[in-house]
Amino acid sequence: MQIQAEADRTGWRGAAFRFCNILAILCQTISALAIATMFTLVCIQVVYRYILNVPLGWTQELSVFSLVLSVMFGMAAAFWHGEHFHVSLLRDNLPPLPGNILRFVGRAATIVFLSIVMWQSYTLSLRAMRQISPTTGIPIGYIQWFLVAGSAAALIFVVMRTLLWRNVSAVAEYEVGEDGK
């Protein structure tokens, strides 16, 4: 496996791994910052609502927007790392060939689903640009772009994992190396 992993670090496969790893780190960073923002906004909301008795409406909206951002980009990173929710009970109990066929069918269905979500989110974002958030004044279409971007990143990851099929297990080896570094 070491020779195969080394071979995959060069050429288009290596470039694809590096690109997806960088994109996954970016998605994880965005998700973590959105969670930190959401936590901060909820704390501010609690202080103003229950201690100062002066509720702030904009903190609620921005925390919901942060939640959407963290979920969409966290979901995308989970696809690259193979940590997204999936039911593998049937596939794991099948012989290799039918199991691989079932995995491919599942990935193809995921690609179709993410493509539909991305396209519908895009069309919804265009229509929602005229709808303004009541307390922040932000056009809702901008928030819909979180769905478009997160779905696009997830789609890239699923497509790349499918193209790099025979070496999908090398993703983890590529990230940490054979010697664990």
Coordinates of all heavy atoms in Angstrom, one line a residue, residues 29-90:
T29 N -12.9 25.0 8.7 CA -12.6 26.3 9.3 C -13.8 27.2 9.3 O -14.2 27.8 10.3 CB -11.4 27.0 8.6 OG1 -10.3 26.1 8.7 CG2 -11.1 28.3 9.3
I30 N -14.5 27.2 8.2 CA -15.7 28.0 8.1 C -16.8 27.5 9.0 O -17.4 28.3 9.8 CB -16.3 28.0 6.6 CG1 -15.3 28.8 5.7 CG2 -17.7 28.5 6.6 CD1 -15.7 28.7 4.2
S31 N -16.9 26.2 9.1 CA -17.9 25.6 10.0 C -17.5 25.9 11.5 O -18.4 26.2 12.3 CB -17.9 24.1 9.8 OG -18.9 23.5 10.6
A32 N -16.3 25.8 11.8 CA -15.9 26.0 13.2 C -16.1 27.5 13.6 O -16.6 27.8 14.7 CB -14.4 25.7 13.4
L33 N -15.8 28.4 12.7 CA -16.0 29.8 12.9 C -17.5 30.2 13.0 O -17.9 31.0 13.9 CB -15.3 30.7 11.8 CG -13.8 30.7 11.8 CD1 -13.3 31.5 10.6 CD2 -13.3 31.4 13.1
A34 N -18.3 29.5 12.2 CA -19.7 29.7 12.3 C -20.3 29.2 13.6 O -21.2 29.8 14.2 CB -20.4 29.0 11.1
I35 N -19.8 28.1 14.1 CA -20.2 27.6 15.4 C -19.8 28.5 16.5 O -20.6 28.8 17.5 CB -19.7 26.1 15.7 CG1 -20.4 25.2 14.7 CG2 -19.9 25.7 17.1 CD1 -19.8 23.8 14.7
A36 N -18.6 29.0 16.5 CA -18.1 30.0 17.5 C -18.9 31.2 17.4 O -19.3 31.8 18.5 CB -16.6 30.3 17.3
T37 N -19.2 31.7 16.3 CA -20.1 32.9 16.1 C -21.5 32.6 16.7 O -22.0 33.5 17.4 CB -20.2 33.3 14.6 OG1 -18.9 33.6 14.1 CG2 -21.1 34.5 14.4
M38 N -22.0 31.5 16.4 CA -23.4 31.1 16.9 C -23.3 31.1 18.4 O -24.2 31.6 19.1 CB -23.8 29.8 16.3 CG -25.2 29.3 16.8 SD -25.8 27.8 15.9 CE -24.4 26.7 16.2
F39 N -22.3 30.5 19.0 CA -22.2 30.4 20.5 C -22.1 31.8 21.1 O -22.8 32.1 22.1 CB -20.9 29.6 20.8 CG -20.7 29.5 22.3 CD1 -21.4 28.7 23.1 CD2 -19.7 30.3 22.9 CE1 -21.2 28.7 24.5 CE2 -19.4 30.3 24.2 CZ -20.2 29.5 25.1
T40 N -21.3 32.6 20.5 CA -21.1 34.0 21.0 C -22.5 34.8 20.9 O -22.8 35.5 21.9 CB -20.0 34.7 20.2 OG1 -18.8 34.0 20.3 CG2 -19.8 36.1 20.7
L41 N -23.2 34.6 19.8 CA -24.4 35.3 19.6 C -25.5 34.8 20.6 O -26.2 35.6 21.2 CB -24.9 35.2 18.2 CG -24.1 35.9 17.1 CD1 -24.5 35.5 15.7 CD2 -24.3 37.4 17.3
V42 N -25.5 33.5 20.9 CA -26.5 33.0 21.8 C -26.2 33.5 23.2 O -27.1 33.9 24.0 CB -26.5 31.5 21.8 CG1 -27.3 30.9 22.9 CG2 -27.2 31.0 20.4
C43 N -24.9 33.6 23.6 CA -24.5 34.1 24.9 C -24.9 35.6 25.0 O -25.4 36.0 26.1 CB -23.0 33.9 25.1 SG -22.5 32.2 25.4
I44 N -24.6 36.4 24.0 CA -25.1 37.8 24.0 C -26.6 37.9 24.1 O -27.1 38.7 24.9 CB -24.6 38.5 22.7 CG1 -23.1 38.6 22.7 CG2 -25.3 39.8 22.5 CD1 -22.5 39.1 21.4
Q45 N -27.3 37.0 23.4 CA -28.7 37.0 23.5 C -29.2 36.7 24.9 O -30.1 37.3 25.4 CB -29.3 36.0 22.5 CG -30.8 36.0 22.3 CD -31.2 35.0 21.3 OE1 -30.5 34.2 20.8 NE2 -32.5 35.2 20.8
V46 N -28.6 35.7 25.5 CA -29.0 35.4 26.9 C -28.8 36.5 27.9 O -29.6 36.9 28.7 CB -28.3 34.1 27.4 CG1 -28.4 33.9 28.9 CG2 -28.8 32.9 26.6
V47 N -27.6 37.1 27.8 CA -27.3 38.3 28.6 C -28.3 39.4 28.4 O -28.8 40.0 29.4 CB -25.8 38.7 28.4 CG1 -25.5 40.1 29.1 CG2 -24.8 37.7 28.9
Y48 N -28.5 39.8 27.2 CA -29.4 40.9 27.0 C -30.8 40.6 27.3 O -31.6 41.5 27.8 CB -29.3 41.4 25.5 CG -28.2 42.4 25.3 CD1 -26.9 42.0 25.2 CD2 -28.5 43.7 25.3 CE1 -25.9 42.9 25.0 CE2 -27.5 44.7 25.1 CZ -26.2 44.3 25.0 OH -25.2 45.2 24.9
R49 N -31.3 39.4 27.0 CA -32.7 39.0 27.3 C -33.0 38.8 28.7 O -34.0 39.3 29.3 CB -33.1 37.8 26.5 CG -34.5 37.4 26.6 CD -34.9 36.2 25.8 NE -34.6 36.5 24.4 CZ -35.6 36.8 23.5 NH1 -36.8 36.9 23.8 NH2 -35.3 37.1 22.2
Y50 N -32.1 38.1 29.4 CA -32.5 37.6 30.8 C -31.8 38.4 31.9 O -32.3 38.5 33.0 CB -32.2 36.1 31.0 CG -33.0 35.3 30.1 CD1 -32.5 34.6 29.0 CD2 -34.4 35.2 30.3 CE1 -33.3 33.9 28.1 CE2 -35.2 34.4 29.5 CZ -34.6 33.8 28.4 OH -35.4 33.0 27.6
I51 N -30.7 39.1 31.6 CA -30.0 39.9 32.6 C -30.3 41.3 32.5 O -30.7 42.0 33.4 CB -28.5 39.6 32.6 CG1 -28.2 38.1 32.9 CG2 -27.7 40.6 33.5 CD1 -26.7 37.7 32.8
L52 N -30.2 41.8 31.2 CA -30.5 43.3 31.0 C -31.9 43.5 30.7 O -32.3 44.7 30.6 CB -29.6 43.8 29.9 CG -28.1 43.7 30.2 CD1 -27.3 44.2 29.0 CD2 -27.6 44.4 31.4
N53 N -32.7 42.5 30.4 CA -34.1 42.6 30.0 C -34.3 43.5 28.8 O -35.3 44.2 28.7 CB -34.9 43.0 31.2 CG -36.4 42.6 31.1 OD1 -36.7 41.6 30.5 ND2 -37.2 43.3 31.8
V54 N -33.4 43.4 27.9 CA -33.5 44.2 26.6 C -33.2 43.2 25.5 O -32.1 43.1 25.0 CB -32.5 45.3 26.6 CG1 -32.7 46.1 25.3 CG2 -32.7 46.2 27.8
P55 N -34.2 42.4 25.0 CA -33.9 41.4 24.0 C -33.4 42.0 22.7 O -33.9 43.1 22.2 CB -35.2 40.7 23.8 CG -36.3 41.5 24.4 CD -35.6 42.5 25.4
L56 N -32.5 41.4 22.0 CA -32.0 41.8 20.7 C -32.4 40.8 19.7 O -32.1 39.6 19.8 CB -30.4 41.8 20.8 CG -29.8 42.7 21.8 CD1 -28.3 42.5 21.8 CD2 -30.1 44.2 21.4
G57 N -33.1 41.3 18.7 CA -33.7 40.4 17.7 C -32.6 39.9 16.7 O -32.6 38.8 16.2
W58 N -31.6 40.7 16.4 CA -30.7 40.4 15.4 C -29.8 39.2 15.8 O -29.2 38.5 14.9 CB -29.8 41.6 15.0 CG -29.1 42.3 16.1 CD1 -29.5 43.2 16.9 CD2 -27.7 41.9 16.5 NE1 -28.5 43.5 17.9 CE2 -27.4 42.7 17.6 CE3 -26.8 41.0 16.1 CZ2 -26.2 42.7 18.3 CZ3 -25.6 40.9 16.8 CH2 -25.3 41.7 17.9
T59 N -29.6 39.0 17.1 CA -28.7 37.9 17.5 C -29.4 36.6 17.1 O -28.7 35.6 16.8 CB -28.4 38.0 19.0 OG1 -29.7 38.0 19.7 CG2 -27.6 39.2 19.3
Q60 N -30.7 36.5 17.3 CA -31.4 35.3 16.9 C -31.2 35.0 15.4 O -30.9 33.8 15.0 CB -32.9 35.4 17.3 CG -33.8 34.3 16.8 CD -33.5 33.0 17.5 OE1 -33.0 33.0 18.6 NE2 -33.8 31.9 16.8
E61 N -31.4 36.0 14.6 CA -31.3 35.7 13.1 C -29.9 35.3 12.7 O -29.7 34.4 12.0 CB -31.7 37.0 12.4 CG -33.2 37.1 12.2 CD -33.6 38.2 11.2 OE1 -32.7 38.7 10.5 OE2 -34.8 38.5 11.2
L62 N -28.9 36.1 13.3 CA -27.6 35.8 12.9 C -27.1 34.4 13.4 O -26.3 33.7 12.8 CB -26.6 36.9 13.4 CG -26.7 38.2 12.6 CD1 -25.7 39.2 13.2 CD2 -26.4 38.0 11.1
S63 N -27.6 34.0 14.6 CA -27.3 32.7 15.1 C -27.9 31.6 14.2 O -27.3 30.5 13.9 CB -27.7 32.5 16.5 OG -29.1 32.5 16.7
V64 N -29.1 31.8 13.7 CA -29.7 30.8 12.7 C -28.9 30.8 11.4 O -28.6 29.7 10.9 CB -31.2 31.1 12.5 CG1 -31.7 30.3 11.4 CG2 -32.0 30.9 13.8
F65 N -28.5 31.9 10.9 CA -27.7 32.0 9.7 C -26.4 31.3 9.9 O -25.9 30.5 9.1 CB -27.4 33.4 9.3 CG -28.6 34.2 8.9 CD1 -28.6 35.6 8.9 CD2 -29.8 33.6 8.6 CE1 -29.7 36.4 8.6 CE2 -31.0 34.4 8.3 CZ -30.9 35.8 8.3
S66 N -25.8 31.4 11.1 CA -24.5 30.7 11.4 C -24.7 29.2 11.5 O -23.8 28.5 11.1 CB -23.9 31.2 12.8 OG -23.6 32.6 12.7
L67 N -25.9 28.8 12.0 CA -26.2 27.4 12.1 C -26.2 26.8 10.7 O -25.7 25.7 10.4 CB -27.5 27.2 12.8 CG -28.0 25.7 12.8 CD1 -27.1 24.8 13.7 CD2 -29.4 25.7 13.4
V68 N -26.9 27.5 9.8 CA -27.0 27.0 8.4 C -25.6 26.9 7.8 O -25.2 25.9 7.1 CB -27.9 27.9 7.5 CG1 -27.9 27.5 6.1 CG2 -29.3 27.9 8.1
L69 N -24.8 27.9 8.0 CA -23.4 27.9 7.4 C -22.6 26.8 8.0 O -21.9 26.0 7.3 CB -22.8 29.3 7.8 CG -21.4 29.5 7.2 CD1 -21.4 29.5 5.7 CD2 -20.8 30.8 7.8
S70 N -22.7 26.5 9.3 CA -21.9 25.5 9.9 C -22.3 24.1 9.5 O -21.5 23.2 9.2 CB -21.9 25.6 11.5 OG -23.2 25.3 12.0
V71 N -23.6 23.9 9.3 CA -24.1 22.6 8.9 C -23.7 22.3 7.5 O -23.3 21.2 7.2 CB -25.7 22.5 9.1 CG1 -26.3 21.4 8.3 CG2 -26.1 22.5 10.5
M72 N -23.9 23.3 6.6 CA -23.6 23.0 5.2 C -22.1 22.7 4.9 O -21.7 21.8 4.2 CB -24.1 24.2 4.3 CG -25.6 24.3 4.3 SD -26.5 22.7 3.8 CE -25.9 22.5 2.1
F73 N -21.2 23.5 5.6 CA -19.8 23.3 5.3 C -19.3 22.1 6.1 O -18.3 21.5 5.7 CB -19.0 24.6 5.6 CG -19.2 25.6 4.4 CD1 -20.2 26.5 4.4 CD2 -18.3 25.5 3.3 CE1 -20.3 27.4 3.4 CE2 -18.5 26.3 2.2 CZ -19.5 27.3 2.3
G74 N -19.8 21.9 7.3 CA -19.5 20.7 8.0 C -19.9 19.4 7.3 O -19.1 18.4 7.3
M75 N -21.0 19.5 6.7 CA -21.5 18.3 5.9 C -20.6 18.1 4.7 O -20.2 16.9 4.4 CB -22.9 18.6 5.4 CG -23.5 17.6 4.4 SD -23.8 18.0 2.7 CE -23.8 19.7 2.5
A76 N -20.1 19.1 4.1 CA -19.2 19.0 2.9 C -17.9 18.3 3.4 O -17.4 17.3 2.7 CB -18.9 20.3 2.3
A77 N -17.3 18.8 4.5 CA -16.1 18.2 4.9 C -16.3 16.8 5.3 O -15.4 15.9 5.1 CB -15.5 19.0 6.1
A78 N -17.4 16.4 5.9 CA -17.7 15.1 6.3 C -17.7 14.1 5.1 O -17.3 13.0 5.2 CB -19.0 15.0 7.1
F79 N -18.2 14.6 4.0 CA -18.2 13.8 2.8 C -16.8 13.4 2.3 O -16.5 12.3 2.0 CB -18.9 14.5 1.6 CG -20.4 14.3 1.5 CD1 -21.3 15.3 1.7 CD2 -20.8 13.0 1.3 CE1 -22.6 15.0 1.6 CE2 -22.2 12.7 1.2 CZ -23.1 13.8 1.3
W80 N -15.8 14.4 2.4 CA -14.5 14.1 2.0 C -13.8 13.1 2.9 O -13.1 12.2 2.5 CB -13.6 15.4 1.9 CG -12.2 15.1 1.6 CD1 -11.1 15.4 2.3 CD2 -11.7 14.5 0.4 NE1 -10.0 15.0 1.7 CE2 -10.3 14.5 0.5 CE3 -12.3 14.1 -0.8 CZ2 -9.5 13.9 -0.5 CZ3 -11.5 13.5 -1.8 CH2 -10.1 13.5 -1.7
H81 N -14.0 13.3 4.2 CA -13.4 12.4 5.2 C -14.1 11.0 5.3 O -13.7 10.2 6.1 CB -13.3 13.1 6.5 CG -12.4 14.3 6.5 ND1 -11.0 14.2 6.3 CD2 -12.6 15.6 6.6 CE1 -10.5 15.4 6.3 NE2 -11.4 16.2 6.5
G82 N -15.2 10.9 4.6 CA -15.9 9.6 4.7 C -16.7 9.4 6.0 O -16.9 8.3 6.4
E83 N -17.0 10.5 6.7 CA -17.6 10.5 8.0 C -19.1 10.9 7.9 O -19.7 11.0 9.0 CB -16.9 11.5 8.9 CG -15.5 11.1 9.2 CD -14.7 12.1 9.9 OE1 -15.2 13.3 10.1 OE2 -13.6 11.8 10.4
H84 N -19.6 11.0 6.7 CA -21.0 11.3 6.6 C -21.8 10.1 6.9 O -21.4 9.0 6.7 CB -21.3 11.9 5.2 CG -22.5 12.7 5.1 ND1 -23.8 12.2 5.0 CD2 -22.7 14.0 5.2 CE1 -24.7 13.2 5.0 NE2 -24.0 14.3 5.1
F85 N -23.0 10.4 7.4 CA -23.9 9.3 7.8 C -24.3 8.4 6.6 O -24.6 8.9 5.5 CB -25.2 9.9 8.4 CG -26.3 8.9 8.7 CD1 -26.2 8.1 9.8 CD2 -27.3 8.7 7.8 CE1 -27.1 7.1 10.1 CE2 -28.3 7.7 8.1 CZ -28.2 7.0 9.2
H86 N -24.1 7.1 6.7 CA -24.5 6.2 5.7 C -24.8 4.9 6.4 O -24.2 4.5 7.4 CB -23.5 6.0 4.6 CG -22.2 5.5 5.0 ND1 -21.2 6.3 5.5 CD2 -21.7 4.3 5.0 CE1 -20.1 5.6 5.8 NE2 -20.4 4.3 5.6
V87 N -25.7 4.1 5.8 CA -26.0 2.8 6.3 C -25.3 1.8 5.5 O -25.5 1.7 4.3 CB -27.5 2.5 6.2 CG1 -27.9 1.2 6.7 CG2 -28.3 3.6 7.0
S88 N -24.3 1.1 6.1 CA -23.5 0.1 5.3 C -23.7 -1.3 5.7 O -22.9 -2.2 5.3 CB -22.0 0.5 5.5 OG -21.7 0.4 6.9
L89 N -24.8 -1.6 6.5 CA -25.0 -2.9 6.9 C -25.1 -3.9 5.8 O -24.5 -5.0 5.8 CB -26.3 -3.0 7.8 CG -26.7 -4.3 8.4 CD1 -25.6 -4.8 9.4 CD2 -28.0 -4.3 9.0
L90 N -25.9 -3.6 4.8 CA -26.1 -4.4 3.6 C -24.8 -4.5 2.8 O -24.3 -5.6 2.5 CB -27.2 -3.9 2.7 CG -27.5 -4.7 1.4 CD1 -27.9 -6.2 1.8 CD2 -28.5 -4.0 0.6

